């Protein structure tokens, strides 16, 4: 059997997205059919549409999603029809060197659904980040589904599938932020704000939010920033040092992805502190640093991929914290929209007052 559903498709590089009827097959071995309830609009979706990720058009966009499993294929035991799930980018193999060494987030052999979803004329779709959830139903690998508390709001918890997990995980998993630490977060968009929220969860005593936009700093405060620095007006390295007794922060999280903010993060950490790089630079970006500073300042420089998360461990835990009122995921949901408003959400993305537009299905 197949399912005909409405979905948001990017047909060609740079062209506005369209709402189309697509065909979704019944789940085969190891796959799950998910009835999507909510899916956030992420910069990466726009990046796909602009051809910045690949040339495998048409793309089925959407990847920060929660929904209910409608059917599962042969051999699937971890999730069952009726389960409320948050989707992740890819199922891990459990058998490669990375998986065996307890680092499944670096798995060499991740997979998505094997069958293809198609346009009405049979053209195969490429699902964004292996998900494709701006659709009433989508087909994923069962290992991309993590069961969470069904009473939680789909719009809020779906965001754990990408940017919010990247930020929280950068603080908790990669940065190892601990009780009493001082943390500085450079760039307070969705990812940086999530790093602020994660630092608060981890018990950081001081959380310094840095951005060039005062509206972003206000949201960061709502999520737990204890101090804010507008780096257009004030040198952030000086400000962070001043706010940390002259030392620098124990952990600095960079969530912009530019040479100048990488440099700021490098110099804003305490001697022997940790820099966590989350912002993704472009291939041509370069940063020159005196080697004596790299050597002399000690500590560590780490990059954080998908918040070093393990969905089966982290998603249910964070949903519980949300349900208990200890993690404000609602603060990330700026507006809820319909499927046909994704293009509009792309337009609004670069206005300072939008963290996430979330499509409700
Ligand atoms: N200094 C400080 N903040 C800056 C600067 C700067 N020079 N330039 C931009 N910013 C701020 C913006 O004002 C915005 O609040 O950085 C934030 C970036 O946020 P978004 O554009 O919403 O991006 P986000 O989704 O948070 O992702 C941030 O993390 O995962 C990566 O690919 C992602 O590189 C991107 C980064
Ligand atoms: Zn995303
Ligand atoms: Zn593996």
């Amino acid at each position: 059997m197949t399912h005909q559903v409405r979905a948001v498709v990017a047909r060609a590089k740079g062209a506005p997205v369209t709402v189309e009827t697509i065909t979704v097959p019944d789940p085969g071995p190891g796959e799950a059919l998910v009835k999507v309830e909510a899916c956030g609009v992420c910069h990466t979706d726009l990046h796909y549409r602009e051809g910045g990720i690949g040339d495998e058009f048409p793309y089925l966009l959407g990847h920060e999603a929660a929904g209910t499993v409608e059917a599962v294929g042969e051999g699937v035991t971890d999730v069952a029809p009726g389960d409320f799930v948050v989707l992740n980018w890819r199922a891990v193999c459990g058998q490669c060197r990375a998986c065996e060494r307890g680092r499944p987030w670096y798995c060499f052999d991740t997979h998505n659904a094997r069958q293809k979803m198609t346009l009405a004329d049979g053209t195969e779709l490429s699902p964004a980040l292996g998900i494709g959830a701006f659709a009433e139903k989508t087909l994923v690998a069962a290992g991309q589904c993590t069961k969470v508390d069904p009473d939680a709001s789909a719009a809020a918890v779906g965001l754990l599938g990408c940017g919010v997990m990247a930020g929280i995980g950068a603080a908790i998993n990669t940065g190892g932020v601990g009780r009493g630490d001082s943390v500085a977060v450079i760039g307070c968009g969705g990812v940086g704000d999530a790093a602020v929220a994660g630092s608060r969860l981890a018990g950081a005593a001081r959380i310094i939010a840095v951005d060039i936009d005062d509206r972003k700093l206000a949201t960061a405060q709502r999520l737990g920033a204890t101090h804010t620095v507008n780096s257009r007006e004030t040198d952030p390295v000086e400000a962070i040092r001043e706010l940390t007794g002259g030392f620098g922060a124990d952990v600095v999280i960079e969530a912009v992805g530019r040479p100048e903010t990488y440099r700021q993060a490098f110099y804003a950490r305490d001697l022997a502190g940790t820099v966590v790089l989350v912002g993704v630079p472009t291939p041509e970006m370069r940063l020159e640093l005196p080697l004596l500073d790299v050597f002399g300042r000690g500590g560590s420089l780490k990059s954080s991929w998908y918040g070093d998360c393990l969905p089966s461990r982290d998603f249910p835990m964070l949903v519980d914290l949300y349900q208990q009122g200890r993690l404000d995921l609602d603060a990330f949901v700026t507006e809820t929209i319909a499927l046909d408003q994704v293009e509009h959400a792309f337009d609004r993305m670069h206005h300072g007052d939008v963290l996430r537009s979330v499509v409700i299905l």
Side-chain angles (χ1 to χ4, degrees), residues 140-224:
V140 293
Q144 291 179 260
C145 300
T146 305
K147 200 175 160 176
V148 299
D149 181 349
D151 294 333
S153 145
V157 303
L159 299 183
L160 291 172
C162 181
V164 171
M165 185 69 245
I168 294 178
I172 293 181
N173 295 332
T174 316
V177 172
R179 194 167 56 230
D181 280 354
S182 56
V183 180
V185 178
I186 301 179
C188 297
V191 174
D193 274 347
V196 168
S199 301
R200 168 151 84 180
L201 279 175
R206 237 155 229 253
I207 305 171
I208 304 161
V210 179
D211 204 290
I212 50 175
D213 184 333
D214 284 329
R215 289 169 301 179
K216 299 289 183 155
L217 292 172
T219 321
Q221 247 169 340
R222 172 173 168 193
L223 286 158

Side-chain angles (χ1 to χ4, degrees), residues 65 81 139 175 249 351:
L139 184 75
H351 294 210

Side-chain angles (χ1 to χ4, degrees), residues 275-330:
V275 177
V276 180
L277 304 168
V278 191
V280 183
T282 59
E284 65 279 1
M285 287 178 180
R286 297 285 182 277
L287 174 60
E288 196 174 304
L289 290 169
L291 281 183
L292 195 57
D293 287 351
V294 177
F295 174 77
R297 297 184 60 79
S300 59
L301 284 172
K302 295 174 152 188
S303 62
S304 183
W305 268 105
Y306 206 178
D308 281 332
C309 81
L310 188 55
S312 57
R313 175 193 67 198
D314 295 336
F315 290 0
M317 177 218 16
L318 294 171
V319 171
D320 282 349
L321 291 172
Y322 167 61
Q323 290 295 80
Q324 294 162 14
R326 294 161 69 192
L327 170 62
D328 186 2
L329 291 178
D330 295 323

Side-chain angles (χ1 to χ4, degrees), residues 91-100 103-104 106-110:
V92 298
C93 80
Q95 292 166 11
C96 69
R97 175 179 150 86
C99 283
E100 282 184 343
R103 298 180 200 135
Y106 288 110
C107 174
F108 306 148
D109 194 17
T110 56

Side-chain angles (χ1 to χ4, degrees), residues 42 44 63-64 89 129 162-163 356:
C42 174
T44 304
H63 62 272
E64 303 190 337
W89 298 350
L129 289 170
C162 181
R356 276 293 184 273

